[in-house]
């Protein structure tokens, strides 16, 4: 297992490509994560061309700015040595205090909302309770990293309870999240919010067919099929059409091998067109997390609920089933409460806050890996010989979430968390301040919130969705490029442009 000390001692080994990391940690497995061969091992090498450095050895670009895609002049051990020893200590009572505080606030908010029961109070409650749902997620997140306490059984129990309470399968997500940490910053092997490749974007090209499904004269239809366009038939025909196609035709809209599809269109069905839509558009990405739990990220197969998913080693099956059982139990609780309180009450009390909590999760995790505050800076993504655990971790971003920093358990200190994930959240601020002198320009000082609400993050969030659409299929160091078709809203002919 990767621990704060073992990572540091293996810093030189962790500079090797992704495919060799699992051989160092647990014979091919990282906390139940299956290692996979590198899909682009033979890709053309594109490394930093910086030859100029400042007096401290930090690489400079031709324009005199720092080249943060270049290998840093310090090591993971240098960062480890700068962290005060007390920052590694886990306090079980302190962690339990944060958990009890979160649960108490969530219960108090629900009681207050029911007592007030006014139209103007419910939206306030939705946002506040959704914020607390995200806080509970972070508690379960820390349990997954074993930073909640030194007792794994306690960590897993608390993690299962807190995550099931917000409809997240604890062990399934824990293992996929470890995959994310083990491969952070890698174009292909990262597990969440990794970039779309140009080839994937090209699969979304419009077929260029003419006519309308509502036009009886459209060349889609044979003469015997035109009478299907009557009102009474169209009211019930669409689901049947999606599953079975039009009468007289074979196949299904869900089957990539259906003769409906040309060879270059099959990927739109099999690779998951909607998955990419969720990833490339703001309004869809805000609710992407439940889809990710069910289907994983674009280009990856399996489900967090499926014990046979290739995310999991065979000996993790019982863990996945255990978390699924907790989920079933929570669904039973929600069903019972809906029966006794009624659907309108549960929509207000639970389901609306749940959506807000999902939005918090998607926004925060996206901003930790996209959209630096400096609009001129681009975040590097790596593959091949250029990738290492260390460089991948340095490509994450700290953020200032204003008043929510403490509410969300210092989730803003993301860089150090990615490098040393077993450090308790309540020690991350002190540790981050201690390593800044070592990291120099590689630590991107977060833009400070102008007030209690982090409105300053709106600009980099929107800017990233306007510009960060895809990366090239080859090259060991790549940066996001912009697609005018994505910017236009996923309509018309797709054309990826640099």
């Amino acid at each position: 297992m990767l621990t704060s000390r073992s990572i540091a001692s293996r810093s030189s080994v962790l500079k090797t490509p992704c495919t060799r990391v699992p051989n160092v940690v647990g014979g091919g497995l990282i906390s139940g994560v299956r290692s996979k061969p590198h899909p682009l091992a033979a890709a053309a090498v594109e490394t930093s061309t910086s030859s100029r450095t400042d007096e401290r050895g930090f690489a400079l670009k031709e324009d005199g700015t720092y080249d943060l895609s270049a290998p840093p002049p310090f090591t993971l051990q240098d960062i480890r040595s700068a962290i005060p020893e007390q920052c590694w200590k886990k306090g079980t009572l302190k962690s339990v205090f944060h958990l009890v505080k979160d649960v108490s606030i969530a219960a108090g908010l629900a009681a207050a909302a029911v007592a007030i029961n006014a139209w103007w109070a419910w939206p306030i409650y939705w946002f506040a309770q959704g914020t607390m749902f995200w806080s509970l997620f972070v508690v379960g997140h820390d349990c997954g990293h074993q930073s909640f306490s030194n007792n794994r059984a306690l960590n897993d129990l608390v993690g299962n309870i807190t995550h099931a309470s917000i409809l997240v399968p604890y062990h399934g997500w824990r293992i996929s999240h470890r995959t994310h940490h083990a491969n952070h910053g890698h174009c292909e092997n990262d597990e969440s919010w990794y970039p779309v490749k140009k080839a994937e974007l090209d699969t979304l090209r419009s077929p260029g067919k003419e006519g309308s499904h509502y036009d009886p004269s459209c060349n889609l239809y044979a003469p015997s099929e035109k009478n299907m366009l009557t009102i009474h038939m169209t009211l019930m025909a669409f689901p049947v059409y999606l599953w079975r196609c039009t009468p007289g035709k074979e196949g299904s809209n869900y089957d990539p091998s259906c003769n409906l599809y040309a060879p270059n269109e099959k990927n739109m069905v099999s690779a998951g067109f909607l998955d990419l839509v969720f990833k490339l558009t703001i309004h869809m990405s805000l609710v992407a997390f439940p889809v990710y739990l069910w289907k994983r990220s674009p280009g990856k197969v399996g489900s967090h609920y499926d014990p046979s998913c290739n995310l999991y080693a065979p000996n993790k099956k019982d863990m996945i089933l255990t978390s699924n059982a907790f989920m079933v139990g929570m669904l039973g609780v929600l069903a019972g409460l809906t029966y006794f309180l009624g659907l309108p009450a549960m929509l207000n009390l639970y389901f609306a806050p749940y959506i807000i909590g999902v939005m918090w999760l998607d926004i925060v995790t996206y901003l930790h890996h996209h959209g630096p505050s400096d609009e001129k800076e681009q975040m590097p993504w790596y593959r091949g010989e250029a990738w290492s655990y260390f460089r991948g971790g340095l490509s994450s971003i700290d953020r200032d979430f204003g008043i929510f920093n403490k509410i969300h358990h210092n989730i803003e200190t993301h860089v150090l968390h990615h490098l040393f994930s077993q450090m308790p959240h309540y020690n991350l601020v002190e540790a981050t301040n201690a390593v800044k002198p070592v990291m120099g320009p590689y630590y991107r000082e977060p833009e400070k919130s102008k007030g209690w609400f982090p409105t300053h993050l709106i600009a980099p969030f929107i800017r990233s969705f306007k510009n960060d659409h895809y990366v090239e299929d080859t090259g060991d160091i790549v940066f996001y490029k912009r697609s005018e078709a994505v910017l236009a809203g996923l309509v018309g002919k797709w054309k990826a442009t640099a």
Side-chain angles (χ1 to χ4, degrees), residues 289-425:
F289 185 63
V291 178
Y292 164 68
L293 291 178
W294 189 258
K295 291 201 61 179
R296 296 180 69 193
S297 297
K300 299 185 185 295
V301 296
S303 168
H304 285 76
Y305 304 98
D306 181 6
S308 64
C309 176
N310 61 8
L311 268 170
Y312 313 128
N315 64 346
K316 303 301 177 184
K317 178 179 180 179
D318 288 344
M319 290 184 175
I320 307 306
L321 293 175
T322 298
S323 292
N324 287 350
F326 274 90
M327 288 283 290
V328 171
M330 183 60 191
L331 290 173
V333 170
L334 293 175
L337 289 173
T338 302
Y339 177 80
F340 286 108
L341 300 178
L343 182 59
M346 287 302 292
L347 288 174
N348 279 322
L349 284 170
Y350 185 86
F351 294 106
Y354 169 79
I355 296 299
I356 299 297
V358 168
M359 289 182 178
W360 265 117
L361 188 153
D362 287 328
I363 291 171
V364 171
T365 54
Y366 183 88
L367 285 172
H368 279 154
H369 299 279
H370 297 80
S373 296
D374 182 356
E375 60 183 271
K376 296 180 180 179
E377 183 180 2
Q378 290 183 297
M379 300 302 294
W381 288 84
Y382 304 100
R383 58 166 70 98
E385 294 296 323
W387 183 87
S388 71
Y389 176 88
F390 186 33
R391 292 176 77 180
L394 292 177
S395 67
S396 58
I397 307 173
D398 280 8
R399 299 290 191 182
D400 180 15
F401 292 99
I403 193 176
F404 301 102
N405 287 340
K406 294 301 180 184
I407 297 175
H408 290 165
H409 307 305
N410 303 116
I411 199 68
E412 77 278 7
T413 51
H414 200 65
V415 176
L416 209 59
H417 165 68
H418 253 266
L419 294 175
F420 306 105
S421 59
Q422 287 196 334
M423 183 180 294
H425 70 83

Side-chain angles (χ1 to χ4, degrees), residues 159-390:
N160 269 306
I161 294 173
T162 55
H163 272 192
S165 72
I166 52 174
L167 301 181
V168 176
Y170 167 71
H171 279 301
W173 178 85
R174 173 185 66 81
I175 293 172
S176 72
H177 188 62
R178 290 287 292 185
T179 306
H180 165 57
H181 270 258
N183 298 283
H184 45 210
H186 194 289
C187 290
E188 284 77 35
N189 293 349
D190 203 341
E191 175 63 23
S192 57
W193 290 132
Y194 56 87
V196 173
K197 267 66 71 181
K198 187 176 184 298
E200 293 174 325
L201 199 67
D202 287 344
T203 66
L204 305 184
R205 294 181 187 276
S206 172
K209 301 192 183 295
E210 298 179 354
S212 167
H213 283 79
Y214 302 98
D215 180 8
S217 65
C218 176
N219 59 10
L220 275 169
Y221 308 122
S224 62
E225 298 165 351
K226 298 185 187 296
N227 61 2
M228 290 192 64
L229 296 182
T230 58
I231 292 178
H232 67 281
M233 289 297 289
T234 56
L235 289 176
M236 55 185 177
F238 185 64
V240 178
Y241 162 70
L242 290 179
W243 187 255
R244 293 284 302 143
C245 288
T246 310
K249 299 185 184 296
E250 298 179 353
S252 167
N253 284 266
Y254 301 100
D255 180 8
S257 64
C258 175
N259 59 11
L260 273 170
Y261 308 122
N264 64 341
E265 295 170 350
K266 296 183 187 299
N267 286 336
M268 294 179 68
V269 182
S270 59
F273 174 81
L274 284 179
D275 288 342
L276 293 181
V277 173
F278 268 92
K279 194 169 183 178
L280 292 169
T281 58
I282 290 180
H283 59 288
M284 297 295 277
S285 67
L286 292 177
V287 290
F289 185 63
V291 178
Y292 164 68
L293 291 178
W294 189 258
K295 291 201 61 179
R296 296 180 69 193
S297 297
K300 299 185 185 295
V301 296
S303 168
H304 285 76
Y305 304 98
D306 181 6
S308 64
C309 176
N310 61 8
L311 268 170
Y312 313 128
N315 64 346
K316 303 301 177 184
K317 178 179 180 179
D318 288 344
M319 290 184 175
I320 307 306
L321 293 175
T322 298
S323 292
N324 287 350
F326 274 90
M327 288 283 290
V328 171
M330 183 60 191
L331 290 173
V333 170
L334 293 175
L337 289 173
T338 302
Y339 177 80
F340 286 108
L341 300 178
L343 182 59
M346 287 302 292
L347 288 174
N348 279 322
L349 284 170
Y350 185 86
F351 294 106
Y354 169 79
I355 296 299
I356 299 297
V358 168
M359 289 182 178
W360 265 117
L361 188 153
D362 287 328
I363 291 171
V364 171
T365 54
Y366 183 88
L367 285 172
H368 279 154
H369 299 279
H370 297 80
S373 296
D374 182 356
E375 60 183 271
K376 296 180 180 179
E377 183 180 2
Q378 290 183 297
M379 300 302 294
W381 288 84
Y382 304 100
R383 58 166 70 98
E385 294 296 323
W387 183 87
S388 71
Y389 176 88
F390 186 33

Side-chain angles (χ1 to χ4, degrees), residues 62 77 91-92 155 217 219 282 296 307 345 455:
E62 292 301 319
Q77 180 60 48
T92 302
N155 294 339
S217 65
N219 59 10
I282 290 180
R296 296 180 69 193
T455 55

Side-chain angles (χ1 to χ4, degrees), residues 57-80:
F58 291 102
L60 297 172
K61 299 178 183 177
E62 292 301 319
D63 61 3
T65 60
Y66 288 105
D67 182 2
L68 302 184
S69 68
F74 53 90
T75 66
L76 196 61
Q77 180 60 48
D78 294 332
I79 295 178
R80 169 66 181 86

